[in-house]
């Protein structure tokens, strides 16, 4: 074993020696035209005149952003605390009355509701989603279930068609709709589905992705908000995850999304009656959608696009935290690029709502936070071990991140023991989010690429880590490179530094390397 490790140990010693030469001033001399030039002097001058000042400016900028993110997190959690302390549930703020059947009119007092289920090659979950929609507690003559199947696998197409026929034979008004192309992906399918003549008779639209299982009373609890509050355009339910224990990735996704709903969606709904539609588990007022221009396929975040356009017309949104829907677990930046001037010039909403949408909803939460998290914690902090004269205050590396982490972890108390792993792997994911954000902002070549997440339904047994037994299933080069770089920084800090930053760096490097070999599940 020692013979196998000896080359690696030699390589590490060589790397540390080279770094020591670069950053500790050991003299290397070169001769140019017989004139001795001190490499050390050149390096010291470049370091003091260029590298250190630039690095100080970057650190200062990161500290400002850290404070902005901290203030936003505190603000959102104060709003959530206010809602809980004063019991400001939507039923207390907006008018809500249970649906009652009229003895004379029968079901005629129930509005017509269209349920859209877009799907694409969903072999494992199509029965669950179609079955849940068909079991909704709503008069069958006032409900239309529309299955928008973009599948390309003939076998799956046949299975979905047969499932629709089965429910139709039970008296459910279900429509199986296909189109001859996939233009616009999900947005294109939704837009195409709205063109059918029977849609014109519907007052409200409920949308569920193929991996959603709606509660049977979903319409009974959500539609009354729309009926009794004519200024409301959207009622959004919260997600719950039935496969959170499948692997480490799904556990951490659950933590991230629980915080998103608890803090971001609830605070936006409470303070501004606006938030981003999550693309599923929501009910829309048809009139509001038509006024805003309906579904558009100019971005891959057609849900957020529709929400912003409707919100800018003055409509209100309601987030119902205790109405839960179960789910198997670059667009925002691109939409921000397309809509910023439209938001600024809008005349139908107040300036404070414009400020909220531009600064808080888009700029801070959808763009800056990803850049900052990856750049500061995975690039600036590791690199700072080579520049000890640049002081990074403890509040920015310990206190503020710890408070924000605690705020986030409160949303999923059962997974609190995983909070350290969650933070480390969130930093890894922010590398990809940063890439997606850049593609969206600058409209890169993959800006409108639609990637469908594989859903495995309940075909997997729930285990924290994958059971395939293959450690090196695949190598992710970007994660491996970042992991190796941070590991080198950790080794240098351990050997030459006078702080304990290497403790964090070793853990962060491990997270990147584990992700690099694909050992956190999919």
């Amino acid at each position: 074993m020692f013979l196998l490790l000896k080359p690696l140990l030699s390589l590490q010693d060589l790397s540390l020696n080279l770094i020591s030469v670069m950053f500790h001033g050991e003299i290397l001399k070169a001769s140019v035209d017989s004139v001795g030039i001190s490499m050390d002097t050149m390096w010291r001058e470049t370091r003091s005149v260029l590298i250190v000042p630039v690095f100080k400016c970057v650190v200062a900028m990161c500290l400002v952003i850290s404070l902005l993110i901290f203030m936003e997190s505190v603000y959102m959690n104060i709003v959530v605390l206010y809602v809980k302390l004063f019991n400001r549930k939507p039923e207390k703020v907006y008018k809500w009355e249970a649906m009652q059947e009229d003895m004379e009119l029968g079901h005629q007092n129930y509005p017509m509701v269209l349920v859209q289920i877009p799907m694409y090659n969903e072999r494992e979950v199509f029965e669950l989603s179609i079955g849940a929609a068909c079991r909704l507690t709503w008069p069958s003559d006032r409900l239309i279930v529309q299955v928008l199947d973009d599948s390309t696998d003939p076998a799956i197409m046949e299975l979905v068609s047969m499932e629709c026929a089965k429910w139709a034979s039970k008296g459910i008004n279900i429509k199986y709709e296909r189109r001859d192309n996939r233009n616009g992906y999900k947005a294109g399918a939704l837009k195409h589905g709205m063109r059918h003549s029977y849609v014109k008779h519907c007052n409200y639209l409920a949308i569920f992705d193929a991996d959603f299982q709606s509660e049977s009373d979903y319409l009974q609890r959500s539609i009354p908000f729309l009926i009794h509050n004519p200024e409301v355009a959207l009622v959004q339910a919260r997600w719950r995850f039935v496969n959170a224990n499948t692997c480490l990735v799904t556990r951490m996704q659950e933590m991230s999304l629980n915080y998103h709903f608890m803090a971001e969606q609830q605070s936006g709904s409470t303070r501004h009656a606006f938030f981003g539609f999550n693309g599923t588990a929501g009910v829309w007022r048809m009139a509001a959608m038509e006024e805003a221009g309906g579904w558009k396929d100019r971005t891959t975040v057609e849900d957020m696009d529709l929400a912003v356009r409707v919100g800018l017309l003055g409509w209100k949104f309601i987030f119902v935290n205790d109405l839960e829907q179960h789910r198997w677990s670059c667009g925002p930046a691109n939409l921000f690029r397309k809509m910023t001037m439209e938001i600024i010039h809008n005349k139908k909403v107040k300036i404070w709502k414009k400020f909220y949408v531009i600064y808080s909803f888009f700029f801070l939460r959808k763009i800056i936070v990803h850049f900052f998290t990856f750049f500061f914690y995975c690039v600036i902090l590791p690199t700072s071990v080579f520049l000890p004269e640049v002081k990074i205050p403890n509040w920015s590396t310990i206190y503020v991140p710890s408070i924000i982490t605690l705020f986030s972890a409160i949303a999923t108390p059962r997974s609190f023991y995983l909070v350290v792993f969650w933070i480390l792997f969130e930093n890894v994911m922010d590398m990809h989010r940063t890439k997606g954000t850049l593609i969206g902002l600058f409209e890169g070549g993959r800006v409108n690429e639609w990637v469908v997440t594989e859903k495995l339904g309940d075909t997997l047994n729930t285990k924290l880590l994958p059971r395939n037994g293959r450690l090196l299933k695949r190598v992710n080069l970007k994660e491996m490179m970042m992991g190796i770089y941070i590991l080198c920084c950790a080794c240098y800090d351990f050997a030459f530094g006078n702080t304990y930053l290497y403790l964090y760096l070793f853990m962060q490097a491990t997270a990147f390397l584990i992700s690099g070999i694909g050992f956190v599940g999919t």
Side-chain angles (χ1 to χ4, degrees), residues 78-114:
I78 288 175
V79 173
V80 172
L81 183 62
Y82 163 78
V83 170
K84 292 185 180 298
L85 288 178
F86 294 94
N87 196 27
R88 300 290 291 175
K89 292 184 177 181
E91 293 86 348
K92 303 285 187 180
V93 179
Y94 297 91
K95 184 178 180 181
W96 188 94
E97 294 179 5
M99 299 296 300
Q100 301 291 334
E101 186 170 330
D102 191 292
M103 295 298 294
E104 295 182 1
L105 298 177
H107 296 155
Q108 293 304 309
N109 65 319
Y110 281 79
M112 284 291 295
V113 178
L114 174 70

Side-chain angles (χ1 to χ4, degrees), residues 359-408:
Y359 170 74
S360 182
F361 179 74
F362 271 122
F363 183 70
L364 201 60
R365 298 186 206 168
K366 302 295 190 296
I367 299 176
I368 289 298
V369 69
H370 304 314
F371 280 113
F372 169 77
T373 302
F374 171 67
F375 192 61
F376 185 63
Y377 294 108
C378 301
V379 178
I380 296 298
L381 275 185
T383 305
S384 69
V385 303
F386 302 129
L387 302 165
E389 60 267 54
V390 180
K391 302 298 181 182
I392 300 179
N394 288 337
W395 63 259
S396 67
T397 58
I398 300 175
Y399 307 124
V400 165
S402 297
I403 294 173
I404 293 176
T405 299
L406 288 175
F407 284 158
S408 304

Side-chain angles (χ1 to χ4, degrees), residues 38 145-146 156 159 177 312 359:
S38 171
V145 178
Q146 187 185 64
I156 297 177
L159 289 172
E177 306 290 1
L312 291 177
Y359 170 74

Side-chain angles (χ1 to χ4, degrees), residues 295-457:
W295 297 110
K296 292 187 178 181
D297 55 9
R298 58 181 175 174
T299 72
T300 56
V301 284
E302 74 292 327
D303 44 9
M304 189 183 296
D305 187 352
L306 177 62
V308 174
R309 285 185 282 113
V310 173
L312 291 177
L313 292 173
W315 291 92
K316 294 183 178 180
F317 300 170
I318 298 177
F319 173 68
V320 187
N321 189 56
D322 58 356
L323 178 56
E324 299 172 352
Q325 303 301 296
H326 301 281
R327 184 174 196 177
W328 299 99
S329 281
C330 74
N334 186 237
L335 185 61
F336 177 67
R337 172 193 173 104
K338 294 178 184 295
M339 294 203 68
T340 301
M341 297 310 299
E342 182 179 341
I343 296 170
I344 292 173
H345 295 300
N346 183 275
K347 303 294 184 182
K348 295 187 177 182
V349 297
K350 295 180 180 179
I351 189 171
W352 289 112
K353 191 165 186 177
K354 291 183 186 181
F355 177 78
Y356 170 76
V357 174
I358 292 176
Y359 170 74
S360 182
F361 179 74
F362 271 122
F363 183 70
L364 201 60
R365 298 186 206 168
K366 302 295 190 296
I367 299 176
I368 289 298
V369 69
H370 304 314
F371 280 113
F372 169 77
T373 302
F374 171 67
F375 192 61
F376 185 63
Y377 294 108
C378 301
V379 178
I380 296 298
L381 275 185
T383 305
S384 69
V385 303
F386 302 129
L387 302 165
E389 60 267 54
V390 180
K391 302 298 181 182
I392 300 179
N394 288 337
W395 63 259
S396 67
T397 58
I398 300 175
Y399 307 124
V400 165
S402 297
I403 294 173
I404 293 176
T405 299
L406 288 175
F407 284 158
S408 304
I410 289 172
T412 315
R414 78 182 189 92
S415 297
F416 189 80
Y417 70 98
L418 289 172
V419 68
V420 174
F421 297 98
W422 176 51
I423 291 300
L424 295 173
F425 284 100
E426 275 290 286
N427 292 345
V428 175
M429 291 306 301
D430 273 314
M431 177 177 70
H432 299 284
R433 294 171 185 145
T434 297
K435 177 184 176 182
T437 301
L438 287 171
I439 291 173
L441 279 176
F442 299 103
E443 296 205 318
R446 299 179 62 192
V447 67
N448 289 318
E449 180 178 339
W450 182 270
V451 179
V452 178
T453 306
E454 181 183 8
K455 293 97 175 177
L456 298 177

Side-chain angles (χ1 to χ4, degrees), residues 52 65 183 203 244 273 292 386 395 400 467 514 521:
V52 171
I65 295 174
N183 295 340
N203 308 102
F386 302 129
W395 63 259
V400 165
R467 302 180 66 240
I514 289 175

